[in-house]
Amino acid sequence: MAEIAALAGVSKPTVSKVMNGQPGVAAATRERVERVIAERGYVRHSAARALSAGRAGSVNLVVKEIDNAYFSEIIRGVEETLERAGLSMVLTATHDEARRHRRWLARVVEHGTDGAILVLPDEHFAHLGELRRHGVPVALVDDRGESPPDVPSVGATNFAGGFAATEHLLSLGHRRIAMISGPAFKSTRERAAGYRTALQEAGIQPEPLLEKPGGFVAETGHGATRELLRLPDPPTAIFTGNDLQAMGVYRALYEAGLRAPDDVSVVGFDDLPFARLLTPALTTVRQPVREMGALATRMLLRVIAGEKLESARVELATSLIVRESSAPPRP
Amino acid sequence: MAEIAALAGVSKPTVSKVMNGQPGVAAATRERVERVIAERGYVRHSAARALSAGRAGSVNLVVKEIDNAYFSEIIRGVEETLERAGLSMVLTATHDEARRHRRWLARVVEHGTDGAILVLPDEHFAHLGELRRHGVPVALVDDRGESPPDVPSVGATNFAGGFAATEHLLSLGHRRIAMISGPAFKSTRERAAGYRTALQEAGIQPEPLLEKPGGFVAETGHGATRELLRLPDPPTAIFTGNDLQAMGVYRALYEAGLRAPDDVSVVGFDDLPFARLLTPALTTVRQPVREMGALATRMLLRVIAGEKLESARVELATSLIVRESSAPPRP
């Protein structure tokens, strides 16, 4: 209100009158105020709410889980960006459960919000349309690949990341490189495509036996590695879909009396904070998860402010971080 | 309101009348509504506020950091408990910075909240009194030992945990047991006291050289272990103040060509989710961090509902989880 009044060069009561459609404002003044309101991206409805009850002052962040370093990094990036903008972060974990989605939506509608950021929005999230109907601006992080193209969305260059990880292992001399993969998200499929493409460009035919799908958890890395080690011709290197799976690979190697990188090289994906703390420190593809959360937040704030985004879809670059877990194969 | 109406089998206007003490409701009906209200833990004050202005519908959680598994677990416990109560969680990270505390307080005062949960409230947090002046109910997790005794607070039995870790190592035959300690919080001091007491009860005089203070980060575990390994008579076992430090111990051992538990036994503290995923899987003292967050939330909700707590200070039990990183010393 004060901001609009200042920008339009009028008093706050005048802004209030214009917003509420009350008489007693000269046509030119009314037009000026309306223009400022339009430029700042306020719509009458939310402005009216702001007048009566105070802007929500908060943005909702919806993640699947909280106690997972990938989501923690995003949460941190979002919180820091909102904090600088003077906004609070309302955080909700859905555990991919439809009823939690519904209850979240009910709370948002009841108590209001300035916007919502959804991370890896899952199949239950048919609510995008409903949020828009309620006038809630939305931004996405790591879209699973099913949302409308005009919704602001931040991801990473997953294909390039998968390619770089595989190319690194090839350059060390590995020829039998396995990949442990994650759920069938867009990002996962792209990582696997990068892996296969790098193999093919090196003249190696990808083998279905060396690709192990599963969940983004350590248990998948553990189970898949046990199976890989039992192959007649086991891989000398394993590229995992995320860092947690790599912890599971370490465990399976340990149980088999093997070590990375002496016996098997391991490359992860994400570069979450724990990756550099592992022994051996994990070679991994860094995706700037925190920055992805921060950028999605900045895009959302611009949409809330009524600005037009140059591009609704942004991918941040991945980069290979070489540490201790990758080395040439035994001769 | 709708819930109370449904449970009492009356209309919403009737509930409203009862809540506001208006006439026109039969005594039996009034009694039924009041009973439902009492059973559901609503008190007239908050109900009245809810009627007039819309309850905030949210509770503020203030932590130091977000991307740290200790805080993630607490955040998760708080979020799950609030979600079940139909409330949203507003999450703020302070990074122990005074200006972030101030800005948080300003946002809380401007936008309102139903209550606040502070984790490890630090020296900047002179705001407890101010929160109370604004009528904001507060609960604490892991109080650093400086807050008024009537503020609801949840901790863990840290002394017992330190004692159990040390006793475990003694029972394996270790006599030279080092402790890597954390910042001078109440919880840390209690863990160290448990360590020293267990040594003394076994007839061993605690040696200042074997106690290494530092931060609750992997780097402290790493640096302290390097120093311990350089002692003329190095320890055969190391008890760390938290699990992150234990990761640093692993690294220092790895760099020195040593292994846990073959060369040095390691026991951590917290049992954060990653502890069981490490290789070797970490023997550690479990403190139920998530439950601590959940309990602090339940206590806060009772205070908000106007209930009286039997005890403002609660400590949840710690327990020793023996995994792979502890074994008898080399003969």
Side-chain angles (χ1 to χ4, degrees), chain A residues 155-171:
Chain A
T157 57
N158 288 290
F159 177 89
F163 190 94
T166 312
E167 201 179 37
H168 166 65
L169 290 166
L170 288 163
S171 76

Side-chain angles (χ1 to χ4, degrees), chain A residues 65-73 75-76 91 93 273, chain B residues 61 63-80 89 91 119 272-274 289-291 293:
Chain A
E65 296 165 16
I66 288 169
D67 54 340
N68 171 309
Y70 162 82
F71 292 109
S72 300
E73 285 295 296
I75 295 168
R76 175 167 174 180
L91 176 63
Chain B
L61 174 61
V63 298
K64 186 186 165 208
E65 297 164 16
I66 289 170
D67 54 340
N68 170 309
Y70 162 82
F71 291 109
S72 299
E73 286 293 297
I74 292 175
I75 295 167
R76 175 167 177 181
V78 171
E79 197 270 343
E80 289 181 346
M89 178 182 70
L91 176 63
V119 183
L272 295 173
F274 67 80
V289 185
R290 193 189 304 173
E291 291 79 358

Side-chain angles (χ1 to χ4, degrees), chain B residues 45 49 101-102 104-116 125-138:
Chain B
H45 172 66
R49 267 210 332 222
H101 279 290
R102 280 197 305 273
W104 173 76
L105 194 64
R107 286 200 303 277
V108 162
V109 170
E110 184 183 356
H111 292 286
T113 185
D114 290 324
F125 227 98
H127 300 314
L128 263 182
E130 199 160 345
L131 282 171
R132 293 176 138 194
R133 254 195 317 286
H134 283 102
V136 177
V138 176

Side-chain angles (χ1 to χ4, degrees), chain A residues 261-282:
Chain A
D262 314 53
D263 301 295
V264 178
S265 284
V266 183
V267 178
F269 204 104
D270 278 348
D271 194 27
L272 295 173
F274 67 81
R276 67 176 178 82
L277 301 177
L278 297 176
T279 44
L282 186 65

Side-chain angles (χ1 to χ4, degrees), chain A residues 91-92 100 102-112, chain B residues 57 79 82-83 86-89:
Chain A
L91 176 63
T92 300
R100 285 183 194 254
R102 280 197 305 274
R103 291 200 299 242
W104 172 75
L105 193 64
R107 287 200 302 278
V108 162
V109 170
E110 184 183 358
H111 292 287
Chain B
E79 197 270 343
L82 289 176
E83 209 270 343
L87 293 169
S88 297
M89 178 182 70

